[in-house]
Amino acid sequence: MAGLWDRVTGTQPHPGLWVVLATAAGALVLIGPWPVWRITRTTVTIAHEGGHGLVALLTGRTLEGIRLHSDTSGLTVSRGKPTGPGMILTAAAGYTAPSLLGLGGAALLGAGRLTALLWGATALLLAMLPMIRNVYGALTVILTGGVFFLVSWLTAAAVQAAFGYLAVWFLLLGGVRPVFELQRKRRRGGAPDSDADQLSRLTGVPAGLWVFVFHLVSIGCLVLGGSMLLDPDALA
């Protein structure tokens, strides 16, 4: 157990710049073409709904369940006061969660803590699993968590590094696209019950301004997280 703990909390050397750039390019491919994005977007949905669920618990709400659907949509149901800071923070957590998770992952990689990143992601997915309320959602969470676990346990250090950087780049870049998709849907009159519209009803702040806040968070995390990945010495 002591050896395992040392492995998780220890540091690993940073990969070459070419690995960082190659994984960034790979992440762009994963969020680019619609046929690919339609599959990979589910991972962003896991982070999105997980963000709702985690903040609901942190603010004292009762988390009743999370559903993930094959069309990449999701639903998180929590019980508690229908207004107030807890509900506002819970509603705001969805679109910001993938980018903030990516930023946290970039900080870990910048500090050389690759194993902590892989095992931390596995632990978060394992903790989320009991709250999933449909078969498709459970399968996607199990599959995603299983990939993280197998890579961290069975593969060589070089493969782990490439996978870790690809995953973080994917969260940073993948957190940006859904906000633009939301903006486009709202411009066409769709998504009347989106997180931004719910926040507007809760706070009186226009939904468009909430979309702008989502943009600020996602793009800000991409810029800051990307700089950590490209120049880990900046964290020293």
Side-chain angles (χ1 to χ4, degrees):
M1 290 298 295
L4 182 61
W5 178 251
D6 290 340
R7 178 181 175 186
V8 173
T9 59
T11 59
Q12 294 78 39
H14 299 295
L17 180 60
W18 73 270
V19 173
V20 181
L21 295 176
T23 52
L28 281 172
V29 172
L30 291 177
I31 71 162
W34 171 247
V36 177
W37 175 239
R38 189 180 182 280
I39 298 172
T40 60
R41 195 185 191 282
T42 299
T43 307
V44 177
T45 304
I46 292 174
H48 179 116
E49 301 302 333
H52 282 313
L54 177 60
V55 174
L57 291 173
L58 291 176
T59 55
R61 299 180 63 79
T62 300
L63 181 58
E64 299 203 332
I66 297 172
R67 289 180 173 270
L68 305 170
H69 304 133
S70 58
D71 63 355
T72 75
S73 65
L75 176 67
T76 298
V77 178
S78 63
R79 181 163 44 85
K81 188 178 178 181
T83 59
M87 188 62 204
I88 293 171
L89 290 172
T90 298
Y95 278 98
T96 57
S99 297
L100 291 173
L101 285 171
L103 181 61
L108 286 173
L109 291 179
R113 300 191 180 277
L114 171 62
T115 304
L117 167 73
L118 298 176
W119 282 56
T122 304
L124 287 173
L125 289 163
L126 184 62
M128 184 179 178
L129 184 59
M131 299 310 303
I132 302 298
R133 294 293 182 263
N134 64 325
V135 174
Y136 178 82
L139 289 175
T140 56
V141 171
I142 291 171
L143 178 61
T144 306
V147 170
F148 272 92
F149 175 76
L150 291 175
V151 168
S152 66
W153 192 256
L154 299 178
T155 64
V159 176
Q160 293 180 19
F163 179 80
Y165 275 79
L166 178 64
V168 170
W169 275 120
F170 176 77
L171 285 173
L172 290 172
L173 292 164
V176 174
R177 180 166 178 175
V179 184
F180 281 100
E181 292 175 343
L182 172 62
Q183 183 178 13
R184 186 165 57 251
K185 286 180 182 178
R186 294 195 70 261
R187 188 181 299 123
R188 296 172 179 173
D193 293 319
S194 71
D195 293 352
D197 291 280
Q198 292 181 45
L199 285 163
S200 179
R201 291 192 287 269
L202 287 166
T203 64
V205 176
L209 186 55
W210 280 108
V211 174
F212 178 70
V213 171
F214 296 159
H215 277 305
L216 284 180
V217 173
S218 62
I219 295 174
C221 286
L222 174 59
V223 172
L224 183 56
S227 67
M228 292 178 183
L229 297 176
L230 293 169
D231 185 17
D233 293 334
L235 292 176

